[in-house]
Amino acid sequence: RPLPNMGHRRGLAAHLLAELAARLRAGGALLGALDAAIACVGDVRAALDAIVRERPSDLDARRALARFLELHGDARRAWAHYGIVAFADADDPAADRYVEVGAPGDPPPGVVEALAGPLAPILGPLTPLLEGFLASLQAYDGITPLEIDVVARARARIGGPYVHVLRMPVGGAEVTVENSVPPCVLVGNAALSLPASEQVFLIVRALHSLRGGGAVLRKLDASEAVALFRTLAAMLSGEPPPAGPLTEALRALPFRADLMDVASRRLIAAELRHLADAGVETAMRAAEQASCRVALLLCRDVAGALRALARVEAWAEPPESAEARAALLVSSRTLADLATFAVDEAPSLWRS
């Protein structure tokens, strides 16, 4: 916890430096000592940063790094580290400092668009042609439109065409996407009891995923996604698609490849084949990371974003102990990526 009377401590430090200068009676010696002390600052930061990168769950080291960064003028990066500690332990003194430093402003125009993810340019144009593919919305009863302020803010921040956000009468704190006609976002009833920033994170994450083809891929594993990409590439190229259940599901749709111009069809088909050969799993993971990163930038709450994502990862409440929560920063690839992004890249993308 920050020590009180910082102004008094700085005054005392100045007094001690003046006394040291008088005792040394040589400005050169004092300046040399100061130069050596200043040179150590970078070494201290590098050492703390190395510890945190090697041991992301070390809350003591992360708290010390946050305090060091704050004292040396990097308040936004310090705030992000405080937020990671607050995610693990809401009773830690760093949680108080996280609130006191305060959240940043929204990212400037263009940032969200730059984080579209690797699949958006490929699956985005195909999404209207694939509406209803593997849809199961009819299995839900009692769904109602969800028009609340959090949803309106999320829509405004993510931009793009209007997307229906629907409330499920049951369900946990999950927010998912469904490839219905048209595609929509489904909000579990318990999600509406979460803090506003966590709701924004989950809804923005879903909206971003939807616009990058996430609804099409949500029910597929990597091998099924490879088969889908090869089938779509064949259909876009006018070739006979391979036989299989995915082809039959696609043939049941009003899939009109001729609605796209020839150049776009060829380009997307080539990209689909490349992804199928190079590794769809990596691209799917990168797309998920992009959605989480955009959601963090727009909810502007590192601790809340990590809490919401931990709940998604576990489909339940995150573990109670600080040690177990901190361990998620190592065991969960998605949480680890988001925490790293929060301290490395996000501080330069938010407005001060």
Side-chain angles (χ1 to χ4, degrees), residues 331-346:
S331 62
S332 167
R333 180 180 290 181
T334 312
L335 259 76
D337 173 81
L338 189 62
T340 300
F341 174 77
V343 297
D344 283 354
E345 300 178 55

Side-chain angles (χ1 to χ4, degrees), residues 1-351:
R1 183 185 298 275
L3 294 176
N5 301 322
M6 289 299 295
H8 172 72
R9 291 177 62 214
R10 292 192 183 98
L12 178 60
H15 173 76
L16 291 174
L17 281 174
E19 183 177 342
L20 177 61
R23 288 179 180 275
L24 289 174
R25 297 182 182 280
L30 177 60
L31 291 177
L34 287 174
D35 286 343
I38 292 170
C40 288
V41 167
D43 294 336
V44 171
R45 175 172 180 165
L48 288 171
D49 190 67
I51 293 172
V52 168
R53 291 185 186 280
E54 183 179 345
R55 302 198 300 271
S57 59
D58 189 331
L59 299 183
D60 291 333
R62 192 177 291 277
R63 190 188 309 104
L65 176 58
R67 184 62 179 146
F68 183 89
L69 291 170
E70 185 183 2
L71 289 173
H72 290 86
D74 199 345
R76 188 53 58 218
R77 208 171 303 275
W79 173 82
H81 279 290
Y82 284 137
I84 295 173
V85 178
F87 152 71
D89 186 358
D91 295 324
D92 191 285
D96 296 336
R97 196 68 196 128
Y98 177 64
V99 174
E100 291 163 1
V101 173
D106 280 331
V111 170
V112 170
E113 291 76 9
L115 292 172
L119 295 179
I122 304 166
L123 291 182
L126 295 179
T127 297
L129 306 179
L130 294 172
E131 289 184 0
F133 176 67
L134 300 182
S136 58
L137 189 59
Q138 64 273 14
Y140 300 102
D141 295 322
I143 296 177
T144 56
L146 183 62
E147 297 295 342
I148 58 176
D149 184 57
V150 167
V151 171
R153 294 206 314 271
R155 281 201 190 102
R157 289 173 179 176
I158 199 71
Y162 183 89
V163 174
H164 291 281
V165 178
L166 307 175
R167 174 179 182 170
M168 294 192 294
V170 293
E174 70 271 12
V175 177
T176 58
V177 293
E178 180 61 51
N179 196 36
S180 50
V181 183
C184 64
V185 171
L186 299 176
V187 180
N189 194 52
L192 299 176
S193 299
L194 298 176
S197 65
E198 295 184 36
Q199 292 182 39
V200 170
F201 175 86
L202 292 172
I203 293 171
V204 167
R205 172 176 169 269
L207 288 171
H208 187 272
S209 170
L210 198 64
R211 296 192 175 124
V216 176
L217 297 176
R218 187 174 77 85
K219 298 175 182 177
L220 304 179
D221 60 25
S223 63
E224 291 170 327
V226 168
L228 173 64
F229 285 8
R230 294 194 191 284
T231 301
L232 287 173
M235 295 176 76
L236 289 171
S237 303
E239 303 167 1
L246 290 179
T247 298
E248 294 306 313
L250 287 170
R251 281 177 171 160
L253 302 176
F255 186 88
R256 294 279 307 278
D258 59 306
L259 294 177
M260 301 174 63
D261 63 84
V262 174
S264 296
R265 291 205 305 268
R266 288 175 178 171
L267 178 61
I268 292 176
E271 290 291 343
L272 287 168
R273 290 192 179 97
H274 172 73
L275 282 172
D277 293 336
V280 171
E281 189 172 5
T282 300
M284 291 171 69
R285 185 165 57 248
E288 164 66 8
Q289 290 173 347
S291 294
C292 290
R293 292 176 176 193
V294 168
L296 167 64
L297 290 174
L298 295 183
C299 82
R300 300 177 299 138
D301 181 0
V302 174
L306 291 173
R307 278 195 301 270
L309 187 56
R311 201 175 286 109
V312 168
E313 291 272 294
W315 287 97
E317 285 297 319
E320 292 185 2
S321 73
E323 292 76 12
R325 284 177 181 253
L328 293 175
L329 299 171
V330 178
S331 62
S332 167
R333 180 180 290 181
T334 312
L335 259 76
D337 173 81
L338 189 62
T340 300
F341 174 77
V343 297
D344 283 354
E345 300 178 55
S348 63
L349 300 178
W350 277 308
R351 284 192 176 102

